[in-house]
Short mmCIF file of all heavy atoms in Angstrom, two decimals:
data_model
loop_
_atom_site.label_atom_id
_atom_site.label_comp_id
_atom_site.label_asym_id
_atom_site.label_seq_id
_atom_site.Cartn_x
_atom_site.Cartn_y
_atom_site.Cartn_z
N LYS A 18 0.82 -1.22 0.00
CA LYS A 18 0.00 0.00 0.00
C LYS A 18 0.85 1.27 0.00
O LYS A 18 1.93 1.31 0.58
CB LYS A 18 -0.94 0.01 1.20
CG LYS A 18 -0.23 0.02 2.53
CD LYS A 18 -1.20 -0.09 3.68
CE LYS A 18 -0.44 -0.18 4.98
NZ LYS A 18 -1.30 -0.37 6.12
N THR A 19 0.34 2.27 -0.68
CA THR A 19 1.00 3.57 -0.76
C THR A 19 -0.05 4.65 -0.56
O THR A 19 -1.24 4.36 -0.39
CB THR A 19 1.66 3.79 -2.14
OG1 THR A 19 0.62 3.92 -3.12
CG2 THR A 19 2.61 2.66 -2.51
N SER A 20 0.38 5.88 -0.64
CA SER A 20 -0.55 7.00 -0.54
C SER A 20 -1.10 7.39 -1.91
O SER A 20 -1.79 8.40 -2.03
CB SER A 20 0.12 8.20 0.14
OG SER A 20 1.26 8.58 -0.60
N GLU A 21 -0.81 6.57 -2.91
CA GLU A 21 -1.32 6.85 -4.26
C GLU A 21 -2.84 6.94 -4.22
O GLU A 21 -3.52 6.10 -3.63
CB GLU A 21 -0.91 5.74 -5.23
CG GLU A 21 -1.35 6.00 -6.65
CD GLU A 21 -0.92 4.88 -7.60
OE1 GLU A 21 0.03 4.15 -7.28
OE2 GLU A 21 -1.56 4.78 -8.65
N GLY A 22 -3.36 7.98 -4.80
CA GLY A 22 -4.80 8.17 -4.84
C GLY A 22 -5.35 9.01 -3.69
O GLY A 22 -6.50 9.41 -3.71
N VAL A 23 -4.52 9.26 -2.67
CA VAL A 23 -4.96 10.11 -1.57
C VAL A 23 -4.76 11.56 -2.02
O VAL A 23 -3.66 11.94 -2.44
CB VAL A 23 -4.15 9.84 -0.27
CG1 VAL A 23 -4.60 10.77 0.84
CG2 VAL A 23 -4.30 8.38 0.14
N PRO A 24 -5.79 12.37 -1.96
CA PRO A 24 -5.66 13.75 -2.43
C PRO A 24 -4.55 14.51 -1.71
O PRO A 24 -4.42 14.40 -0.47
CB PRO A 24 -7.03 14.37 -2.10
CG PRO A 24 -7.96 13.21 -1.97
CD PRO A 24 -7.13 12.07 -1.46
N PRO A 25 -3.71 15.24 -2.44
CA PRO A 25 -2.61 15.98 -1.82
C PRO A 25 -3.08 16.93 -0.73
O PRO A 25 -2.40 17.13 0.27
CB PRO A 25 -1.99 16.76 -2.99
CG PRO A 25 -2.46 16.09 -4.22
CD PRO A 25 -3.75 15.40 -3.89
N GLU A 26 -4.29 17.51 -0.91
CA GLU A 26 -4.78 18.43 0.11
C GLU A 26 -5.08 17.71 1.43
O GLU A 26 -4.99 18.30 2.50
CB GLU A 26 -6.00 19.23 -0.36
CG GLU A 26 -7.13 18.45 -0.99
CD GLU A 26 -6.94 18.09 -2.46
OE1 GLU A 26 -5.97 18.52 -3.11
OE2 GLU A 26 -7.79 17.34 -2.96
N LEU A 27 -5.40 16.42 1.37
CA LEU A 27 -5.59 15.63 2.60
C LEU A 27 -4.24 15.30 3.22
O LEU A 27 -4.04 15.46 4.43
CB LEU A 27 -6.38 14.37 2.31
CG LEU A 27 -6.61 13.42 3.48
CD1 LEU A 27 -7.41 14.13 4.59
CD2 LEU A 27 -7.35 12.17 3.04
N LEU A 28 -3.29 14.83 2.41
CA LEU A 28 -1.95 14.50 2.92
C LEU A 28 -1.29 15.70 3.58
O LEU A 28 -0.61 15.56 4.60
CB LEU A 28 -1.06 13.98 1.79
CG LEU A 28 -1.37 12.58 1.26
CD1 LEU A 28 -0.53 12.28 0.04
CD2 LEU A 28 -1.16 11.53 2.34
N SER A 29 -1.51 16.89 3.03
CA SER A 29 -0.88 18.09 3.57
C SER A 29 -1.44 18.48 4.94
O SER A 29 -0.84 19.29 5.65
CB SER A 29 -1.03 19.26 2.59
OG SER A 29 -2.38 19.67 2.51
N GLN A 30 -2.58 17.91 5.32
CA GLN A 30 -3.19 18.25 6.60
C GLN A 30 -2.63 17.44 7.77
O GLN A 30 -2.82 17.82 8.93
CB GLN A 30 -4.71 18.05 6.52
CG GLN A 30 -5.38 19.02 5.58
CD GLN A 30 -6.86 18.77 5.47
OE1 GLN A 30 -7.52 18.40 6.42
NE2 GLN A 30 -7.40 18.98 4.27
N PHE A 31 -1.94 16.35 7.50
CA PHE A 31 -1.42 15.51 8.59
C PHE A 31 -0.51 16.28 9.54
O PHE A 31 -0.68 16.20 10.76
CB PHE A 31 -0.73 14.26 8.05
CG PHE A 31 -1.68 13.24 7.46
CD1 PHE A 31 -1.31 12.50 6.36
CD2 PHE A 31 -2.94 13.02 8.01
CE1 PHE A 31 -2.17 11.56 5.82
CE2 PHE A 31 -3.82 12.08 7.47
CZ PHE A 31 -3.43 11.35 6.37
N PRO A 32 0.48 17.02 9.05
CA PRO A 32 1.34 17.77 9.98
C PRO A 32 0.56 18.80 10.81
O PRO A 32 0.84 19.00 11.99
CB PRO A 32 2.36 18.47 9.07
CG PRO A 32 2.34 17.69 7.80
CD PRO A 32 0.95 17.15 7.66
N ILE A 33 -0.43 19.43 10.19
CA ILE A 33 -1.25 20.41 10.91
C ILE A 33 -2.04 19.72 12.02
O ILE A 33 -2.13 20.22 13.15
CB ILE A 33 -2.19 21.14 9.93
CG1 ILE A 33 -1.37 21.89 8.88
CG2 ILE A 33 -3.14 22.08 10.67
CD1 ILE A 33 -2.19 22.35 7.68
N LEU A 34 -2.60 18.56 11.71
CA LEU A 34 -3.35 17.80 12.70
C LEU A 34 -2.44 17.37 13.86
O LEU A 34 -2.82 17.48 15.03
CB LEU A 34 -4.00 16.58 12.06
CG LEU A 34 -4.72 15.62 13.02
CD1 LEU A 34 -5.86 16.33 13.74
CD2 LEU A 34 -5.23 14.40 12.26
N GLU A 35 -1.24 16.90 13.54
CA GLU A 35 -0.30 16.49 14.59
C GLU A 35 0.02 17.66 15.51
O GLU A 35 0.05 17.50 16.74
CB GLU A 35 0.99 15.93 13.96
CG GLU A 35 0.79 14.58 13.31
CD GLU A 35 2.00 14.10 12.55
OE1 GLU A 35 3.02 14.83 12.47
OE2 GLU A 35 1.95 12.98 12.01
N GLU A 36 0.25 18.84 14.94
CA GLU A 36 0.54 20.03 15.76
C GLU A 36 -0.65 20.38 16.65
O GLU A 36 -0.48 20.71 17.84
CB GLU A 36 0.89 21.22 14.87
CG GLU A 36 2.26 21.13 14.23
CD GLU A 36 2.54 22.32 13.32
OE1 GLU A 36 1.99 23.42 13.58
OE2 GLU A 36 3.30 22.14 12.36
N ALA A 37 -1.85 20.32 16.11
CA ALA A 37 -3.06 20.65 16.89
C ALA A 37 -3.25 19.66 18.04
O ALA A 37 -3.57 20.05 19.16
CB ALA A 37 -4.29 20.66 15.99
N LEU A 38 -3.04 18.37 17.76
CA LEU A 38 -3.18 17.36 18.81
C LEU A 38 -2.14 17.57 19.91
O LEU A 38 -2.47 17.48 21.10
CB LEU A 38 -3.05 15.96 18.21
CG LEU A 38 -4.23 15.50 17.35
CD1 LEU A 38 -3.87 14.23 16.60
CD2 LEU A 38 -5.47 15.30 18.21
N GLN A 39 -0.90 17.86 19.53
CA GLN A 39 0.14 18.12 20.53
C GLN A 39 -0.22 19.33 21.38
O GLN A 39 -0.03 19.32 22.59
CB GLN A 39 1.49 18.32 19.85
CG GLN A 39 2.08 17.02 19.34
CD GLN A 39 3.36 17.23 18.55
OE1 GLN A 39 3.52 18.23 17.86
NE2 GLN A 39 4.27 16.28 18.65
N ALA A 40 -0.76 20.37 20.76
CA ALA A 40 -1.15 21.57 21.50
C ALA A 40 -2.26 21.26 22.51
O ALA A 40 -2.34 21.91 23.55
CB ALA A 40 -1.61 22.66 20.53
N MET A 41 -3.07 20.24 22.22
CA MET A 41 -4.14 19.83 23.13
C MET A 41 -3.62 18.90 24.23
O MET A 41 -4.37 18.51 25.11
CB MET A 41 -5.25 19.10 22.35
CG MET A 41 -6.00 20.00 21.41
SD MET A 41 -7.17 19.12 20.30
CE MET A 41 -7.72 17.72 21.20
N GLY A 42 -2.35 18.51 24.14
CA GLY A 42 -1.78 17.61 25.14
C GLY A 42 -1.89 16.14 24.80
O GLY A 42 -1.62 15.28 25.63
N VAL A 43 -2.28 15.84 23.56
CA VAL A 43 -2.38 14.46 23.12
C VAL A 43 -1.00 13.98 22.67
O VAL A 43 -0.29 14.67 21.94
CB VAL A 43 -3.39 14.32 21.94
CG1 VAL A 43 -3.42 12.91 21.40
CG2 VAL A 43 -4.78 14.76 22.40
N MET A 44 -0.62 12.77 23.13
CA MET A 44 0.66 12.19 22.72
C MET A 44 0.59 11.85 21.23
O MET A 44 -0.33 11.17 20.79
CB MET A 44 0.96 10.93 23.52
CG MET A 44 2.19 10.19 23.06
SD MET A 44 3.73 11.12 23.17
CE MET A 44 3.98 11.14 24.92
N VAL A 45 1.55 12.33 20.48
CA VAL A 45 1.59 12.10 19.03
C VAL A 45 2.92 11.44 18.69
O VAL A 45 3.97 11.91 19.11
CB VAL A 45 1.44 13.43 18.25
CG1 VAL A 45 1.58 13.20 16.75
CG2 VAL A 45 0.11 14.08 18.56
N TRP A 46 2.83 10.36 17.95
CA TRP A 46 4.03 9.71 17.43
C TRP A 46 3.99 9.84 15.92
O TRP A 46 3.38 9.02 15.24
CB TRP A 46 4.05 8.23 17.79
CG TRP A 46 4.23 7.91 19.23
CD1 TRP A 46 4.57 8.76 20.22
CD2 TRP A 46 4.08 6.64 19.84
NE1 TRP A 46 4.63 8.11 21.40
CE2 TRP A 46 4.35 6.81 21.20
CE3 TRP A 46 3.76 5.38 19.36
CZ2 TRP A 46 4.29 5.75 22.10
CZ3 TRP A 46 3.70 4.33 20.26
CH2 TRP A 46 3.97 4.51 21.60
N PRO A 47 4.61 10.87 15.36
CA PRO A 47 4.59 11.01 13.90
C PRO A 47 5.25 9.80 13.23
O PRO A 47 6.32 9.36 13.66
CB PRO A 47 5.40 12.28 13.65
CG PRO A 47 5.42 13.00 14.95
CD PRO A 47 5.34 11.94 16.01
N MET A 48 4.60 9.27 12.25
CA MET A 48 5.12 8.11 11.54
C MET A 48 5.87 8.59 10.30
O MET A 48 5.27 9.09 9.36
CB MET A 48 3.98 7.16 11.14
CG MET A 48 3.24 6.55 12.33
SD MET A 48 4.24 5.37 13.25
CE MET A 48 4.78 6.35 14.62
N VAL A 49 7.20 8.46 10.36
CA VAL A 49 8.05 8.90 9.27
C VAL A 49 8.54 7.69 8.48
O VAL A 49 8.40 7.63 7.27
CB VAL A 49 9.23 9.75 9.80
CG1 VAL A 49 10.13 10.18 8.67
CG2 VAL A 49 8.70 10.95 10.57
N GLU A 50 9.14 6.73 9.18
CA GLU A 50 9.63 5.52 8.52
C GLU A 50 8.69 4.34 8.72
O GLU A 50 8.73 3.39 7.96
CB GLU A 50 10.99 5.11 9.10
CG GLU A 50 12.09 6.11 8.95
CD GLU A 50 13.34 5.65 9.68
OE1 GLU A 50 13.66 4.46 9.60
OE2 GLU A 50 13.97 6.48 10.34
N PHE A 51 7.92 4.38 9.78
CA PHE A 51 7.07 3.26 10.15
C PHE A 51 5.61 3.65 9.99
O PHE A 51 5.28 4.78 9.66
CB PHE A 51 7.38 2.83 11.59
CG PHE A 51 8.81 2.42 11.78
CD1 PHE A 51 9.72 3.28 12.34
CD2 PHE A 51 9.24 1.18 11.36
CE1 PHE A 51 11.05 2.92 12.50
CE2 PHE A 51 10.56 0.79 11.51
CZ PHE A 51 11.47 1.67 12.08
N GLU A 52 4.73 2.70 10.22
CA GLU A 52 3.31 2.92 10.03
C GLU A 52 2.59 2.95 11.37
O GLU A 52 3.14 2.55 12.39
CB GLU A 52 2.73 1.81 9.16
CG GLU A 52 3.36 1.75 7.78
CD GLU A 52 2.89 0.56 6.97
OE1 GLU A 52 1.75 0.12 7.17
OE2 GLU A 52 3.68 0.08 6.15
N ALA A 53 1.34 3.37 11.34
CA ALA A 53 0.55 3.44 12.56
C ALA A 53 0.46 2.07 13.24
O ALA A 53 0.52 1.98 14.47
CB ALA A 53 -0.85 3.96 12.25
N ASP A 54 0.37 1.01 12.45
CA ASP A 54 0.33 -0.34 13.03
C ASP A 54 1.57 -0.61 13.88
O ASP A 54 1.49 -1.25 14.92
CB ASP A 54 0.25 -1.40 11.93
CG ASP A 54 -1.09 -1.43 11.23
OD1 ASP A 54 -1.97 -0.64 11.60
OD2 ASP A 54 -1.25 -2.25 10.32
N ASP A 55 2.71 -0.14 13.40
CA ASP A 55 3.96 -0.35 14.14
C ASP A 55 3.91 0.38 15.49
O ASP A 55 4.33 -0.15 16.51
CB ASP A 55 5.16 0.15 13.33
CG ASP A 55 5.28 -0.57 11.99
OD1 ASP A 55 5.18 -1.81 11.97
OD2 ASP A 55 5.48 0.12 10.98
N ALA A 56 3.37 1.60 15.49
CA ALA A 56 3.26 2.37 16.72
C ALA A 56 2.26 1.72 17.67
O ALA A 56 2.51 1.62 18.88
CB ALA A 56 2.84 3.81 16.41
N LEU A 57 1.13 1.26 17.14
CA LEU A 57 0.13 0.59 17.98
C LEU A 57 0.70 -0.66 18.63
O LEU A 57 0.50 -0.91 19.83
CB LEU A 57 -1.11 0.23 17.16
CG LEU A 57 -2.01 1.37 16.74
CD1 LEU A 57 -3.05 0.89 15.74
CD2 LEU A 57 -2.69 1.99 17.95
N ALA A 58 1.42 -1.46 17.87
CA ALA A 58 2.00 -2.69 18.40
C ALA A 58 3.05 -2.38 19.47
O ALA A 58 3.08 -3.03 20.52
CB ALA A 58 2.63 -3.51 17.27
N SER A 59 3.89 -1.39 19.21
CA SER A 59 4.92 -1.01 20.18
C SER A 59 4.30 -0.47 21.46
O SER A 59 4.73 -0.83 22.57
CB SER A 59 5.86 0.05 19.58
OG SER A 59 6.54 -0.48 18.48
N ALA A 60 3.30 0.38 21.33
CA ALA A 60 2.64 0.95 22.50
C ALA A 60 1.93 -0.14 23.31
O ALA A 60 1.98 -0.14 24.55
CB ALA A 60 1.65 2.03 22.09
N ALA A 61 1.30 -1.08 22.62
CA ALA A 61 0.60 -2.17 23.31
C ALA A 61 1.58 -3.04 24.09
O ALA A 61 1.33 -3.39 25.25
CB ALA A 61 -0.18 -3.02 22.31
N ALA A 62 2.71 -3.37 23.47
CA ALA A 62 3.71 -4.20 24.15
C ALA A 62 4.27 -3.49 25.37
O ALA A 62 4.44 -4.09 26.43
CB ALA A 62 4.83 -4.56 23.17
N LYS A 63 4.54 -2.20 25.23
CA LYS A 63 5.08 -1.43 26.35
C LYS A 63 4.05 -1.31 27.47
O LYS A 63 4.37 -1.49 28.64
CB LYS A 63 5.53 -0.05 25.87
CG LYS A 63 6.20 0.75 26.96
CD LYS A 63 6.89 1.98 26.43
CE LYS A 63 7.53 2.69 27.60
NZ LYS A 63 8.70 3.40 27.27
N ALA A 64 2.82 -1.00 27.13
CA ALA A 64 1.78 -0.85 28.14
C ALA A 64 1.51 -2.16 28.88
O ALA A 64 1.24 -2.17 30.07
CB ALA A 64 0.50 -0.33 27.50
N ALA A 65 1.62 -3.28 28.16
CA ALA A 65 1.37 -4.59 28.78
C ALA A 65 2.40 -4.91 29.86
O ALA A 65 2.12 -5.70 30.77
CB ALA A 65 1.35 -5.68 27.71
#
């Protein structure tokens, strides 16, 4: 899977959303090399 077909205007909103969430105090793990699944699995293992 890739981001092919995802509108550029939607992709460009991810950094803005991450900044807004951080400003609200929500923990954000920006996915640069890895995917959300990787973060979920890592967080679950650590929390367990």
